[in-house]
């Protein structure tokens, strides 16, 4: 059974709610822009959602008593959000109930691959090569993060959230991208072989 914390008005919290609460608990008081920057460097690699929510959700959590808000009186008039005791309790309740939902794999390229046989091996090869390139670039970025982490001395100069990403969840990112590169590489290789087998009789006949 999924357990959801509720605000004073009975409104359930969403995964984005917990994302905001978790970032503020780890990083301390932050603006929506700072939250967005932390997400882009870490959680955004494995959790997709509209980043505009990072500008809307904190205000909603203030209304639920889980955050407080301070606004600068001069200058950029930035909004600074801080997690409350009730917010920490909501986060603690959520973390005490491990997720029981299986991983959802919604990959548009896999959907295209499933139906690519309706066209030709050329379509399959194009899909595979595009994905192979994308995952190779993503893997290269993750490996660069890992090398940077190895050079750090105690994580100085980076946020706790970025340090945690590189120290914990980056590993699953590396494993996934390596598996994806292997998978799409095999699909591309098979498509090239099949395309050659189809085109060879045509080439021989034309001689």
């Amino acid at each position: 059974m999924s357990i959801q914390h509720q605000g004073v008005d009975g409104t359930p919290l969403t995964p984005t709610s917990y994302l905001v609460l978790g970032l503020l608990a780890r990083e301390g008081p932050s603006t929506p822009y700072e939250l967005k920057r932390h997400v882009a460097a870490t959680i955004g690699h494995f959790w997709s959602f509209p980043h505009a929510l990072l500008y809307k959700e904190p205000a909603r959590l203030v209304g639920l008593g889980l955050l407080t808000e301070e606004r600068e009186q001069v200058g950029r008039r930035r909004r600074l959000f801080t997690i409350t005791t009730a917010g920490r309790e909501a986060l603690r309740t959520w973390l005490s109930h491990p997720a029981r939902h299986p991983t959802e794999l919604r990959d548009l390229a896999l959907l295209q691959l499933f139906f690519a046989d309706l066209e030709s091996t050329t379509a399959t090869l194009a899909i595979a090569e595009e994905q192979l390139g994308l995952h190779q670039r993503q893997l290269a970025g993750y490996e660069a993060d890992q090398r940077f982490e190895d050079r750090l001395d105690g994580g100085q100069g980076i946020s706790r959230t970025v340090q945690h990403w590189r120290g914990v969840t980056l590993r699953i990112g590396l494993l996934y991208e390596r598996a994806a590169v292997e998978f799409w590489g095999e699909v591309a290789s098979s498509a090239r072989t099949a395309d050659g087998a189809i085109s060879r009789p045509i080439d021989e006949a034309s001689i």
Side-chain angles (χ1 to χ4, degrees):
M1 181 176 64
S2 177
I3 302 297
Q4 286 190 313
H5 185 90
Q6 295 183 334
V8 293
D9 62 352
T11 303
L13 301 185
T14 67
T16 302
S17 306
Y18 296 119
L19 185 155
V20 171
L21 291 172
L23 286 175
L24 291 175
R26 175 171 288 144
E27 294 297 333
S30 304
T31 66
Y33 174 78
E34 288 169 336
L35 293 176
K36 182 179 178 180
R37 187 180 60 187
H38 290 317
V39 166
T42 59
I43 300 167
H45 290 300
F46 61 85
W47 185 261
S48 300
F49 68 100
H51 284 192
L53 292 177
L54 293 175
Y55 290 89
K56 297 179 179 179
E57 187 63 14
R60 189 178 81 90
L61 296 179
V62 169
L64 298 177
L66 304 180
L67 302 180
T68 59
E69 176 185 354
E70 294 182 18
R71 184 182 290 270
E72 292 178 340
Q73 299 302 311
V74 295
R76 298 168 60 187
R77 295 181 58 81
R78 298 182 306 170
R79 301 158 67 197
L80 193 68
F81 294 94
T82 303
I83 191 169
T84 64
T85 300
R88 291 184 181 277
E89 183 58 34
L91 185 62
R92 187 176 299 112
T93 298
W94 177 61
L95 291 173
S96 68
H97 295 84
R100 297 180 181 179
H101 300 290
T103 300
E104 295 182 4
L105 185 58
R106 295 172 59 88
D107 189 326
L108 182 57
L110 287 178
L111 183 60
Q112 289 182 321
L113 179 64
F114 183 78
F115 291 110
D117 64 299
L118 297 174
E119 290 298 318
S120 65
T121 55
T122 301
T124 299
L125 181 58
I127 294 168
E129 288 183 334
E130 180 69 21
Q131 288 301 306
L132 180 59
L134 288 172
H135 287 287
Q136 285 174 332
R137 290 190 291 274
Q138 188 74 354
L139 176 59
Y142 286 176
E143 289 175 339
D145 274 357
Q146 187 179 50
R147 289 192 297 271
F148 184 72
E149 173 70 15
D150 293 340
R151 293 197 301 270
L152 288 177
D153 180 16
Q156 296 178 357
I158 61 173
S159 73
R160 293 182 61 198
T161 294
V162 171
Q163 184 177 8
H164 199 68
W165 153 249
R166 290 171 174 160
V168 180
T169 45
L170 175 59
R171 290 199 292 272
I172 190 63
L174 286 164
L175 289 171
Y176 173 76
E177 292 303 332
R178 285 167 182 160
V181 166
E182 181 180 358
F183 171 77
W184 288 111
E186 291 175 353
V187 173
S189 179
S190 296
R192 291 189 195 99
T193 300
D195 188 54
I198 293 172
S199 61
R200 193 173 301 116
I202 299 175
D203 294 337
E204 292 172 354
S206 64
I207 295 174

